[in-house]
Amino acid sequence: MKKNSSLFVNGLYDGIPIALGYFSVSFGFGISASSLGIPTWASTLMSLINVTSAGQFAGISIIASIGTIVEMILTQLVINLRYSLMGLSLTQKLDDKMTLLERFLISYGITDEIFAVAISKEGSVKAKYMYGLILLPVLGWTAGTFLGAVAGNILPAMLSAALSLAIYGMFIAIVIPVCKKNQGVLFCCLISAVVSCALKYIPGLSFISTGFAVIICAIVASVIMAILKPVEEEK
Amino acid sequence: MDNITLLIYIVVMALVTYLVRMLPIVAFRKKISSVFIKSVLYYIPYAVLTAMTIPFMLYANDSILSCAVAFAAAAVMAYFKDNLLIVASTASLAAFIVLVLL
């Protein structure tokens, strides 16, 4: 059995590539946030205590459009619902001896990439490993946001405009490889895209805010596909 | 939005996000048995990311053309290369090239 300290170091090591990716994407997030008029302290704090790309991205657009707190809560709930599913699968991998406090602590750092790395480890996952795995990505995410928000105000407009596309690039990077392998996900994305465009471009529907539009797309597309192509038993 | 309201929004966001992460990890130890619920949960992240990208990526900056090119470049790159950093950089680089050429 490995010592706790080396488990922590293993986690740190596995977190390095995630941290580098997060740094560049959150740099773009910081730029987007400051271009929407959100102060640097706010976007940096948001990254430190939320650690969620899609959720924060929706969050800043709700803040910028002065959406209601209910819209914010519902949007975060739906966008981040995937973390519940990840948390559920992760419980199957967690060390039996993991305490309640440790479970509270590791919950903070469940993101798409951290989950993906943790779930692919052989054997059970211990809290010390998770602490190591979470630490650097969170630092990268927060530092990148701060620097992006600061640089966003001084960088040439052309560079800021280009970097603000990085976060969308990350969304595409998560979705396309799965669409390639899984027809159900492909159709789910197509339905979601069609509904999203309909809500955006059909004049009578423009009263629906962006946050709620995302919720509607997500529920319509995932319910249709759950009926048409239920997920098979886990491999 | 004043600073206090902004802070409240950010903290509420974080609480909701934390609860969504924490509840299953703390409360559940068994697998969900409903295939329907499992399927909906499985599809939701992809539907969310797609709805956030299409069509809104086109309006990420003032040049719709640069955004459209960035989308196409990122989609092609993601098809061949399953790497977050590379695909995200491709989107930015493609947009930058268009902006420079315009």
Side-chain angles (χ1 to χ4, degrees), chain A residues 24 39 41-42 45-46 49-52 54-58 63 67-69 72-73 76-77 79-85 87-88 91-92 100 103-104 107-108 110-111 113 158-159 161-166 168-178 180 182 184-185 188-189 192-193 196-197 200-201 217-218 222 225-227 229-231 233-234, chain B residues 1 3-4 6-26 28-33 35-62 66-67 70-71 74-76 78-85 87-89 91-93 95-96 99-100 102:
Chain A
S24 61
W41 69 263
L45 177 70
M46 191 187 285
I49 66 179
N50 282 272
V51 207
T52 166
Q56 286 180 219
F57 196 67
I63 288 171
T68 64
I69 197 88
M72 178 67 94
I73 291 170
Q76 296 304 316
L77 202 62
I79 291 182
N80 293 329
L81 206 56
R82 65 184 191 284
Y83 295 136
S84 288
L85 179 69
L88 274 182
T91 55
Q92 314 300 313
L100 198 58
R103 285 174 185 259
F104 279 123
S107 298
Y108 158 73
I110 303 303
T111 69
E113 291 74 23
M158 203 183 272
L159 206 54
L163 285 170
S164 67
L165 286 156
Y168 290 104
M170 189 177 83
F171 296 162
I172 292 170
I174 294 172
V175 170
I176 299 252
V178 184
K180 211 168 90 176
N182 185 320
V185 173
C188 172
C189 292
S192 181
S196 181
C197 288
K200 167 89 179 164
Y201 296 118
C217 295
S222 58
M225 289 317 297
I227 293 167
K229 196 172 183 300
V231 176
E233 279 305 302
E234 273 147 50
Chain B
M1 197 175 277
N3 281 347
I4 299 297
L6 185 55
L7 183 64
I8 291 170
Y9 269 62
I10 293 172
V11 170
V12 167
M13 261 179 89
L15 283 177
V16 174
T17 307
Y18 180 71
L19 284 176
V20 163
R21 283 174 168 144
M22 179 271 284
L23 286 176
I25 291 185
V26 168
F28 291 96
R29 314 242 169 159
K30 290 179 183 166
K31 284 187 177 175
I32 295 177
S33 56
V35 174
F36 177 73
I37 302 279
K38 273 202 314 206
S39 303
V40 169
L41 288 173
Y42 173 76
Y43 285 120
I44 272 185
Y46 305 107
V48 165
L49 294 178
T50 304
M52 294 190 65
T53 306
I54 300 173
F56 301 100
M57 185 174 180
L58 291 177
Y59 310 104
N61 63 40
D62 293 336
S66 78
C67 296
F71 174 80
V76 170
Y79 188 83
F80 293 107
K81 203 112 180 111
D82 188 354
N83 181 310
L84 211 105
L85 189 54
V87 177
S89 316
S92 286
L93 187 65
F96 187 72
L99 290 167
V100 168
L102 282 180

Side-chain angles (χ1 to χ4, degrees), chain A:
Chain A
M1 184 181 282
K2 281 186 172 166
K3 292 236 175 69
N4 283 340
S5 60
S6 74
L7 275 174
F8 181 75
V9 173
N10 281 351
L12 285 179
Y13 184 79
D14 289 349
I16 292 172
I18 304 178
L20 291 174
Y22 280 7
F23 183 85
S24 61
V25 171
S26 66
F27 194 85
F29 170 76
I31 290 173
S32 301
S34 62
S35 76
L36 288 174
I38 291 169
T40 303
W41 69 263
S43 51
T44 308
L45 177 70
M46 191 187 285
S47 282
L48 179 65
I49 66 179
N50 282 272
V51 207
T52 166
S53 59
Q56 286 180 219
F57 196 67
I60 58 170
S61 65
I62 291 170
I63 288 171
S65 62
I66 323 205
T68 64
I69 197 88
V70 173
E71 185 182 347
M72 178 67 94
I73 291 170
L74 288 177
T75 306
Q76 296 304 316
L77 202 62
V78 171
I79 291 182
N80 293 329
L81 206 56
R82 65 184 191 284
Y83 295 136
S84 288
L85 179 69
M86 293 174 189
L88 274 182
S89 359
L90 195 60
T91 55
Q92 314 300 313
K93 289 277 291 182
L94 295 180
D95 185 24
D96 292 338
K97 293 185 198 104
M98 193 177 280
T99 64
L100 198 58
L101 176 65
E102 288 170 334
R103 285 174 185 259
F104 279 123
L105 291 174
I106 66 159
S107 298
Y108 158 73
I110 303 303
T111 69
D112 302 80
E113 291 74 23
I114 288 169
F115 164 75
V117 170
I119 207 78
S120 65
K121 288 304 270 187
E122 268 186 49
S124 69
V125 170
K126 292 191 166 57
K128 292 281 188 316
Y129 173 77
M130 289 303 292
Y131 299 155
L133 183 62
I134 290 166
L135 183 62
L136 293 179
V138 167
L139 287 179
W141 183 248
T142 308
T145 303
F146 174 75
L147 293 176
V150 171
N153 298 321
I154 51 173
L155 277 183
M158 203 183 272
L159 206 54
S160 301
L163 285 170
S164 67
L165 286 156
I167 195 144
Y168 290 104
M170 189 177 83
F171 296 162
I172 292 170
I174 294 172
V175 170
I176 299 252
V178 184
C179 284
K180 211 168 90 176
K181 282 177 270 179
N182 185 320
Q183 229 178 21
V185 173
L186 176 63
F187 282 113
C188 172
C189 292
L190 291 176
I191 295 168
S192 181
V194 169
V195 176
S196 181
C197 288
L199 294 175
K200 167 89 179 164
Y201 296 118
I202 295 175
L205 297 176
S206 58
F207 67 93
I208 299 169
S209 69
T210 310
F212 280 116
V214 170
I215 296 173
I216 293 168
C217 295
I219 291 173
V220 169
S222 58
V223 166
I224 290 177
M225 289 317 297
I227 293 167
L228 292 182
K229 196 172 183 300
V231 176
E232 310 285 320
E233 279 305 302
E234 273 147 50
K235 298 143 217 163

